[in-house]
């Protein structure tokens, strides 16, 4: 794989990282790269409305100071089909979120 770089004499060249091969490029003008703005990424798990209309279950909150035993939950298949669904939980008291596989 050849990489384009600037030589010590200001000329552009193609060079190999694994061997000492170099090829000087004559009569070719190189321009700077333009960084394009990235697209806005949507939240995969639904964003603000992810916890609307979800069910409750009994689950011990992992926060030691909370001690609550009820949580909202929903399930998603985020891995391959032969793996179990992932359960996302949110404590009804302290709003701590965690997941169980």
């Amino acid at each position: 794989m050849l990489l384009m770089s600037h030589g010590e004499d200001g000329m552009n060249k193609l060079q190999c990282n694994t061997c000492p091969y170099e090829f000087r490029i004559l009569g070719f003008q190189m321009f700077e790269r333009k960084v394009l703005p990235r697209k806005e990424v949507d939240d995969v798990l639904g964003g603000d409305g992810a916890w609307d209309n979800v069910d409750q279950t009994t689950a011990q909150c992992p926060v030691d100071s909370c001690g609550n035993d009820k949580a909202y939950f929903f399930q998603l298949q985020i891995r391959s089909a032969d793996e179990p669904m992932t359960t996302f939980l949110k404590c009804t008291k302290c709003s701590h979120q965690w997941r169980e596989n």
Side-chain angles (χ1 to χ4, degrees):
M1 182 172 160
L2 297 176
L3 300 175
M4 187 176 290
S5 64
H6 294 289
E8 295 83 25
D9 57 357
M11 298 289 292
N12 295 324
K13 65 180 179 178
L14 294 173
Q15 68 179 20
C16 179
N17 281 344
T18 58
C19 70
Y21 177 77
E22 289 184 358
F23 179 79
R24 292 179 187 262
I25 302 172
L26 302 174
F28 179 74
Q29 191 174 13
M30 202 164 91
F31 297 94
E32 294 289 325
R33 289 186 180 207
K34 183 177 181 181
V35 178
L36 299 174
R38 298 194 67 114
K39 292 182 180 178
E40 188 173 320
V41 179
D42 294 333
D43 192 1
V44 176
L45 299 178
D48 297 333
W51 294 101
D52 296 343
N53 301 321
V54 294
D55 294 325
Q56 286 189 21
T57 186
T58 55
Q60 185 66 37
C61 181
V63 178
D64 293 333
S65 61
C66 179
N68 192 19
D69 63 345
K70 289 192 178 187
Y72 301 112
F73 79 98
F74 66 91
Q75 292 182 322
L76 285 176
Q77 186 74 37
I78 59 173
R79 295 184 285 170
S80 62
D82 62 341
E83 299 288 331
M85 293 181 79
T86 302
T87 304
F88 293 88
L89 298 134
K90 179 179 179 180
C91 180
T92 58
K93 184 177 177 184
C94 70
S95 298
H96 176 73
Q97 296 180 19
W98 71 99
R99 70 180 191 182
E100 295 177 357
N101 293 330

